[in-house]
Amino acid sequence: MNAARISAVALISAAALAAAAPPASAQVDPDPMAAGQRVTVGDGRRCDAAGGARADSKLFGSVVLQPGERGMAAEAMVGVGAAPGRYQVTIECGAGGERFTETVTVRGGRVDGVNASQAAGGLVLLALAGGAAYLLRRSVNARS
């Protein structure tokens, strides 16, 4: 093979790899998510911190991304009324800068967590266990 053919093959290979590479996308964690859940939205180090960045979605409105260890990121709360389905999250680097989008999934159900009645029940059980321990210790000491 002569040098021209080798160069042509190298250029075609590089172009094919570039075309096959996935486009830049926003990073949203966790995905899938539930309505009312807190998520982290990031740029994957694609935006310049000096220029700033913003994330927009029907799920949480617009949030300003702040510089951090993994690039520009922010926490956002998925709307409590978000219906199950697929939603777009778009990040824009600076004003009028590069834009990239990710499609995320909202699943049915609620956010798993502790509500007020569960917390109160846990405190009652803790108080009962403490009272039982006190009475047992007192009865053991009385016998001695």
Side-chain angles (χ1 to χ4, degrees):
M1 260 188 177
N2 63 24
R5 283 188 177 166
I6 292 173
S7 297
V9 169
L11 285 173
I12 291 170
S13 298
L17 284 174
S25 63
Q27 296 177 341
V28 183
D29 186 48
D31 184 17
M33 63 202 65
Q37 186 170 5
R38 187 170 292 282
V39 296
T40 302
V41 182
D43 73 337
R45 297 184 185 195
R46 291 180 182 93
C47 297
D48 178 22
R54 165 180 107 229
D56 293 297
S57 177
K58 290 181 179 179
L59 289 174
F60 50 76
S62 182
V63 294
V64 175
L65 305 182
Q66 301 295 323
E69 294 177 9
R70 298 180 184 174
M72 304 286 284
E75 284 194 357
M77 181 75 76
V78 175
V80 176
R86 298 185 53 77
Y87 295 84
Q88 287 190 335
V89 176
T90 301
I91 292 183
E92 181 177 8
C93 299
E98 179 185 6
R99 294 172 62 105
F100 42 95
T101 301
E102 178 69 32
T103 301
V104 297
T105 303
V106 173
R107 60 179 166 76
R110 62 181 181 82
V111 176
D112 294 327
V114 177
N115 61 32
S117 64
Q118 290 170 325
L123 289 174
V124 168
L125 289 174
L126 184 61
L128 288 172
Y134 171 76
L135 291 174
L136 285 172
R137 183 179 171 114
R138 188 172 161 190
S139 69
V140 168
N141 287 340
R143 292 181 190 170
S144 301

